[in-house]
Amino acid sequence: MKAVYGPVRSWRLGLAMGVDPICKQPKVCNLKCIYCRLGHGGIMITERSRFVDEKQVQEEARELLKTVKIDAVMLQGTGEPFLAKNLIDIVHALREETDMPICVMTNGSFFNREGILDELNEFDMVIVKLDAADPVCFSMMNRPHGSIIFEDLVESLKKAKRQCTCDLRIQVTFVRANMYQAEQIADICRDIGVDVVYLSTPVRKEGMDLNKKDMNDLAAIFNGFKVRTIFDERSADTS
Ligand code: SF4
């Protein structure tokens, strides 16, 4: 299984080279989100481990970059990227191959761990998942490992936004079941202090996804943020 894939046309980043720091099938994660594109199976762990070798990632990236010009690098794959304990070694290896912004898509569950705020600063952009405004909805949407506490997660996001130099953004995935929390989620985003909010819906999960009108209605609730929905025209947004 290759760690580097794409390039893929990302609705948030433009043409992105994907890097999977986990490379495991089934997935390895500490959540089991109801809409996960990787399915409901997989291995649930909370301790970090080494899944792929950073030199292998570097070689694969070098090969791909010989043939394409990208807008960004996106670390996202078969599980939570911060479960990879060599994540920052991977970032350093990628920096030797490209000057493009390096972004990570994360569920934020590691933000309260020692040393992680320094790791966040190694990225140009960090996009964090936030699909709920209270523990009940969090359990329903994200089905976390028992050690992950919703209130701690939100507090660690606020701390990360205050203390990190990286560009921290929020992504909210909406399905019918969490639409009722949109206003409260927007309030939490305000408390965290982010400027950019991405609104997604699982377009590949038939019956679970929302339509364009639903997403536009939700975008109106996030008034005051720079909002982009999964239906908006795709273009690079890494500035
Ligand atoms: S955090 Fe991401 S990889 Fe993990 S279950 Fe949720 S959607 Fe899937």
Side-chain angles (χ1 to χ4, degrees):
M1 192 171 171
K2 280 195 160 190
V4 173
Y5 57 93
V8 289
R9 181 63 62 179
S10 161
W11 57 281
R12 295 154 305 201
L13 304 172
L15 195 64
M17 177 174 76
V19 176
D20 181 359
I22 305 294
C23 276
K24 285 273 178 275
Q25 279 176 346
K27 73 182 175 202
V28 178
C29 198
N30 49 7
L31 305 185
K32 286 196 175 194
C33 303
I34 58 170
Y35 54 80
C36 183
R37 70 196 152 80
L38 303 167
H40 294 317
I43 300 162
M44 186 174 255
I45 60 170
T46 56
E47 290 313 308
R48 305 183 86 184
S49 187
R50 192 182 166 83
F51 298 97
V52 292
D53 182 73
E54 54 273 15
K55 287 286 167 209
Q56 177 203 330
V57 174
Q58 185 169 355
E59 279 167 29
E60 288 178 16
R62 187 179 303 147
E63 280 308 305
L64 188 139
L65 291 168
K66 279 180 188 165
T67 56
V68 290
K69 200 171 173 315
I70 56 167
D71 298 312
V73 178
M74 177 57 122
L75 281 100
Q76 178 181 28
T78 48
E80 166 53 35
F82 280 90
L83 277 168
K85 69 177 173 189
N86 61 336
L87 186 64
I88 299 311
D89 296 329
I90 293 172
V91 171
H92 291 163
L94 291 167
R95 294 253 186 240
E96 290 181 26
E97 304 302 323
T98 179
D99 295 328
M100 288 295 116
I102 298 186
C103 314
V104 63
M105 177 77 211
T106 173
N107 62 34
S109 56
F110 279 83
F111 283 21
N112 59 1
R113 299 223 187 165
E114 204 180 333
I116 292 289
L117 296 185
D118 291 334
E119 293 195 18
L120 294 179
N121 284 336
E122 298 283 343
F123 291 92
D124 299 290
M125 188 195 296
V126 176
I127 304 175
V128 194
K129 175 190 298 297
L130 180 69
D131 303 333
D134 62 37
V136 173
C137 189
F138 180 54
S139 292
M140 183 270 295
M141 286 295 291
N142 305 110
R143 299 187 293 188
H145 184 273
S147 63
I148 301 171
I149 309 298
F150 178 74
E151 291 85 350
D152 293 348
L153 188 77
V154 171
E155 283 310 309
S156 62
L157 289 183
K158 290 180 191 169
K159 187 174 170 196
K161 180 64 185 129
R162 280 197 310 272
Q163 298 188 356
C164 293
T165 54
C166 66
D167 180 358
L168 190 82
R169 302 179 176 194
I170 297 286
Q171 176 163 312
V172 188
T173 298
F174 279 110
V175 296
R176 293 260 164 244
N178 67 337
M179 281 175 83
Y180 76 101
Q181 293 225 310
E183 283 181 17
Q184 294 103 304
I185 295 171
D187 287 342
I188 293 176
C189 290
R190 266 178 217 106
D191 285 349
I192 294 168
V194 291
D195 300 319
V196 179
V197 179
Y198 297 113
L199 302 183
S200 185
T201 191
V203 286
R204 292 188 202 95
K205 291 255 180 192
E206 211 174 310
M208 199 178 265
D209 58 316
L210 303 179
N211 60 35
K212 194 169 180 175
K213 180 185 177 307
D214 292 327
M215 296 303 282
N216 286 341
D217 291 347
L218 288 164
I221 293 172
F222 285 77
N223 182 31
F225 296 98
K226 187 176 175 194
V227 178
R228 177 172 298 226
T229 84
I230 195 166
F231 296 116
D232 289 342
E233 198 178 325
R234 296 171 179 189
S235 63
D237 184 22
T238 53
S239 58

